[in-house]
């Protein structure tokens, strides 16, 4: 399940349970809408409640991020799991935006707002 909320210039994406390709497509649609409106947003992915995702989601994430180059200011990922952190770091190598991993949600928000924690 996916929850998407917007807080000023930050798009908050919370993944609960299994992260499916349909969930990711929902996220893509939301980002495309914001880009069409001229928004240049920062992203916060909260993976603390995610149980897992399939390779098709990982591949789509790389493809979509490359398509949207220049539309993200910063990307923060909140996760307590070591494997999620490792996969996110690997994918960040293909994406030129400012990227940071966090274990504490509030620290990620502060960083996205430009207030280093």
């Amino acid at each position: 399940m996916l929850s998407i909320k917007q807080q000023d210039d930050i798009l908050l994406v919370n993944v609960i349970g299994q992260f499916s390709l349909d969930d990711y497509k929902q996220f893509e649609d939301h980002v495309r809408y914001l880009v069409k409106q001229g928004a240049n947003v920062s992203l916060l992915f909260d993976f603390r409640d995610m149980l897992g995702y399939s390779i098709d989601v990982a591949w789509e994430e790389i493809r979509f991020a490359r398509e949207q180059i220049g539309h993200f200011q910063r990307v923060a990922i909140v996760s307590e799991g070591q494997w999620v952190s490792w996969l996110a770091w690997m994918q960040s190598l293909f994406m030129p935006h400012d990227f940071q991993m966090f274990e504490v949600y509030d620290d990620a928000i502060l960083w996205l707002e430009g207030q280093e924690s």
Side-chain angles (χ1 to χ4, degrees), residues 79-93:
S79 174
E80 297 165 351
Q82 208 51 262
W83 67 274
V84 172
S85 299
W86 183 81
L87 286 173
W89 177 81
M90 288 294 293
Q91 291 174 354
S92 75
L93 298 175

Side-chain angles (χ1 to χ4, degrees), residues 4-13 30 34 40-45 73-74 76 105 108-114:
I4 301 175
K5 297 177 185 170
Q6 189 164 350
Q7 176 181 312
D8 299 319
D9 291 338
I10 301 172
L11 191 63
L12 307 166
V13 181
H30 199 91
L34 291 174
N40 193 2
V41 299
S42 292
L43 300 173
L44 186 149
F45 285 101
Q73 294 176 5
R74 288 182 163 189
Y105 185 88
I109 292 289
L110 289 173
W111 180 75
L112 289 171
E113 293 174 341

Side-chain angles (χ1 to χ4, degrees), residues 39-87:
N40 193 2
V41 299
S42 292
L43 300 173
L44 186 149
F45 285 101
D46 185 352
F47 291 138
R48 293 174 295 173
D49 296 322
M50 182 176 75
L51 297 178
Y53 66 96
S54 59
I55 193 71
D56 57 347
V57 172
W59 180 251
E60 184 66 17
E61 183 179 7
I62 292 170
R63 186 204 61 76
F64 183 70
R66 293 180 59 91
E67 173 188 305
Q68 296 299 324
I69 288 174
H71 293 129
F72 302 128
Q73 294 176 5
R74 288 182 163 189
V75 176
I77 294 181
V78 179
S79 174
E80 297 165 351
Q82 208 51 262
W83 67 274
V84 172
S85 299
W86 183 81
L87 286 173

